[in-house]
Structures are given as C-alpha cells and as structure tokens.
Amino acid sequence: KPRCYLTGELIDLSKPHTYNFDHIIPVSKGGTNDLSNLAICTKAANTAKSNLSLDELKSLCKKILNSVNINFIIDCSRLII
C-alpha cells in the first residue's frame, strides 16, 4: 500500500477523499506539474504543508514542537512549585 510521503501514514486508494497529490516544490515557488514533482499524501498533511517547501515545513514544525515543549515544561514546573 502507498504511504503519505510527509507522515508515513498508509493511504487507502479506494478512499480518494482521504488523499491528494502534492507538489513537492510548490507551483508558486517554481515547481512543475511533472510526475517527478508530485507525491501522494493525506489531505491533512497536504493542507498543513500548503505552499511551503519541505525545508520551510520542517522549520515550521520544529518551531511548533519547540514552543509546545517549552510551554509543557513551564506548565509542569508550575505544578511542582
């Protein structure tokens, strides 16, 4: 079975409402419609990626995770005090 190239989740091709083909390099950033620039992914992952490059998406995810981790640590430290 195919997997989402962004999340690794299994994709059920019999449920087309659950997946998209994403432009790896967004068209808005010079990407083409060539098959070599298209990859299958879940709709949720494609929506999250939007028109970001893979590097931009990775950077955004790191920022989000760092913020969540920092806020979690702060919240836990308040419970300990």
Side-chain angles (χ1 to χ4, degrees), residues 44-81:
N46 194 22
T47 299
K49 181 178 174 279
S50 186
N51 70 333
L52 299 175
S53 69
L54 289 177
D55 287 340
E56 291 169 329
L57 178 63
K58 287 176 191 175
S59 176
L60 177 61
C61 288
K62 285 179 185 178
K63 288 177 186 176
I64 291 169
L65 290 173
N66 285 337
S67 176
V68 168
N69 287 338
I70 288 169
N71 289 332
F72 178 75
I73 291 168
I74 290 170
D75 287 345
C76 286
S77 68
R78 289 182 184 148
L79 293 174
I80 295 170
I81 295 176

Side-chain angles (χ1 to χ4, degrees), residues 7 9 14 20 24-26 29 33-34 36 46 52 54 57:
T7 66
E9 292 175 73
S14 71
N20 292 118
I24 299 166
I25 300 171
K29 296 188 177 175
N33 289 319
D34 293 339
S36 62
N46 194 22
L52 299 175
L54 289 177
L57 178 63

